[in-house]
Amino acid sequence: MPGVSYVVPVLNEEKYIADSIRAILAQDYNGAQELILALGPSTDRTEDIVREIASTDERITVVTNPRVDIPAGLNIAISRSTQPIVIRVDAHSELSANYTTDGVRSLLDNGVANVGGIMHARGRTPFQNAIARAYNSPFGLGGAAYHGSGEAGPAESAYLGIFRREVLHEVGLYDESIRRGEDWELNLRIRQAGHTVWFDPALSVTYWPRDTWGNLARQFAATGTWRAELVRRYGGKNPWRFFVPPLLVLTWFLSLLIAGLQLTGVFSPLSSALASVVYAGPALYLLALIVVSLRMPGPLTLRDRFYSLVVFATMHLSWGFGFLVGIVRGGHHSVDTSRTTAPRER
């Protein structure tokens, strides 16, 4: 099998990085392997953990990423790597044991440029479990194939990615001016260059999402802002589902405005009745939140279902608000502060 280079951007991941590295080093793969860790200026114990593990395995190389941003770290790691296949891994994810073997075979057998599989979110606390359930639900993140299941075949984008090195260099690696949504943008350029991005549901990755409400809100606000930046750059090439959260936020804003005007007596009775139609959007959304949260599968407590409702609303409204901010001013000044602050225990 061809050699593979795992590239991992790392910042403030003391809770997850050791398990992520161990899952990579334990891959059942009959080929050369190297692991390049792009280490950002962490404020927790991440650097100590990384360097301790690196000292025990010659396959690991640690490089510094002074710019912090994920695309910059990935490009630094790719530039230091040597193998013909490049495998992106997140520091808060764990590859299944056969991920590399199955992924490289899928890449070669299908003659494609990039292969990705399913992100299976998991949690360690009740609230993080609620976030994981939302990630795994079509209602949470819009039903992209890699959040659920589906048939193997060409895809718009891929989670993480198993790449042919020559294709990465052909399209110019990751765009370092994009801090969020870099995967989608890279895969768009890969497809525009005439290559195929492939989804393979046989590939599975465990993903550990943010574990506090504040970090979740900051993450999704930043993601929405950068999605808006991608809309500003690429327009209609973005999927329609990304416009739903900002429309939801706009209906909430409009509902509050109409309510204020009604309370101050600005509208006539007829105008007020007609304007009340705007409340249908938020009402239907609240109903959907309640129904979906109550119908989440599994032996869940009432608290678990309430957490799910809160998580869904936080993801959608934070994303939508961030999108509206990004459409107005772009994404250049937006930073995902859920990564730059040290993790906090619940």
Side-chain angles (χ1 to χ4, degrees), residues 105-166:
R105 282 177 176 162
S106 183
L107 186 81
L108 300 178
D109 291 348
N110 293 295
V112 297
N114 181 22
V115 173
I118 292 177
M119 170 203 285
H120 179 65
R122 294 180 59 192
R124 294 173 177 170
T125 66
F127 194 76
Q128 191 181 33
N129 275 320
I131 297 174
R133 289 193 297 271
Y135 266 82
N136 297 331
S137 166
F139 186 70
L141 293 177
Y146 58 81
H147 291 300
S149 60
E151 297 294 326
E156 168 196 319
S157 186
Y159 175 55
L160 301 180
I162 300 173
F163 301 88
R164 295 179 186 268
R165 172 180 295 278
E166 67 270 19

Side-chain angles (χ1 to χ4, degrees), residues 274-319:
L274 292 175
S276 296
V277 173
V278 74
Y279 300 137
L284 289 173
Y285 177 66
L286 285 173
L287 178 62
L289 281 178
I290 294 170
V291 171
V292 171
S293 299
L294 289 176
R295 298 186 65 182
M296 294 291 288
L300 304 179
T301 66
L302 187 60
R303 183 188 68 169
D304 293 332
R305 298 187 186 280
F306 174 73
Y307 280 168
S308 292
L309 187 150
V310 171
V311 166
F312 281 130
T314 300
M315 290 165 60
H316 296 157
L317 297 178
S318 298
W319 202 101

Side-chain angles (χ1 to χ4, degrees), residues 88-319:
R88 175 184 173 171
V89 185
D90 278 346
H92 43 232
S93 66
E94 296 174 29
L95 306 182
S96 56
N98 60 344
Y99 180 87
T100 303
T101 296
D102 291 348
V104 172
R105 282 177 176 162
S106 183
L107 186 81
L108 300 178
D109 291 348
N110 293 295
V112 297
N114 181 22
V115 173
I118 292 177
M119 170 203 285
H120 179 65
R122 294 180 59 192
R124 294 173 177 170
T125 66
F127 194 76
Q128 191 181 33
N129 275 320
I131 297 174
R133 289 193 297 271
Y135 266 82
N136 297 331
S137 166
F139 186 70
L141 293 177
Y146 58 81
H147 291 300
S149 60
E151 297 294 326
E156 168 196 319
S157 186
Y159 175 55
L160 301 180
I162 300 173
F163 301 88
R164 295 179 186 268
R165 172 180 295 278
E166 67 270 19
V167 174
L168 284 175
H169 286 288
E170 176 189 340
V171 301
L173 303 183
Y174 288 89
D175 186 339
E176 295 183 11
S177 70
I178 298 174
R179 289 173 171 161
R180 301 286 298 177
E182 72 282 349
D183 289 320
W184 180 88
E185 193 276 340
L186 173 63
N187 284 297
L188 173 64
R189 285 187 282 121
I190 288 174
R191 290 186 288 111
Q192 288 177 330
H195 302 289
T196 300
V197 177
W198 194 261
F199 170 68
D200 189 340
L203 306 181
S204 177
V205 180
T206 296
Y207 172 80
W208 301 98
R210 302 297 189 268
D211 59 358
T212 69
W213 179 85
N215 281 344
L216 178 70
R218 287 191 287 271
Q219 176 193 15
F220 273 78
T223 302
T225 299
W226 280 100
R227 175 54 60 179
E229 174 65 28
L230 291 173
V231 169
R232 287 163 63 107
R233 297 189 191 192
Y234 296 104
K237 294 182 175 65
N238 291 266
W240 66 268
R241 66 181 181 272
F242 292 124
F243 296 90
V244 176
L247 289 175
L248 174 65
V249 172
L250 285 174
T251 62
W252 279 95
F253 284 156
L254 185 57
S255 296
L256 292 174
L257 176 62
I258 295 298
L261 294 174
Q262 289 174 329
L263 290 173
T264 56
V266 172
F267 288 132
S268 67
L270 178 59
S271 298
S272 179
L274 292 175
S276 296
V277 173
V278 74
Y279 300 137
L284 289 173
Y285 177 66
L286 285 173
L287 178 62
L289 281 178
I290 294 170
V291 171
V292 171
S293 299
L294 289 176
R295 298 186 65 182
M296 294 291 288
L300 304 179
T301 66
L302 187 60
R303 183 188 68 169
D304 293 332
R305 298 187 186 280
F306 174 73
Y307 280 168
S308 292
L309 187 150
V310 171
V311 166
F312 281 130
T314 300
M315 290 165 60
H316 296 157
L317 297 178
S318 298
W319 202 101

Side-chain angles (χ1 to χ4, degrees), residues 62-79:
V62 180
V63 297
T64 58
N65 174 25
R67 289 186 52 189
V68 178
D69 295 332
I70 290 174
L74 287 167
N75 286 347
I76 292 169
I78 292 169
S79 297

Side-chain angles (χ1 to χ4, degrees), residues 6 22-30 33 59 87 94-101:
Y6 304 96
R22 292 188 186 105
I24 293 171
L25 298 179
Q27 288 293 288
D28 183 12
Y29 184 68
N30 185 23
Q33 300 171 71
R59 292 174 293 175
I87 301 178
E94 296 174 29
L95 306 182
S96 56
N98 60 344
Y99 180 87
T100 303
T101 296

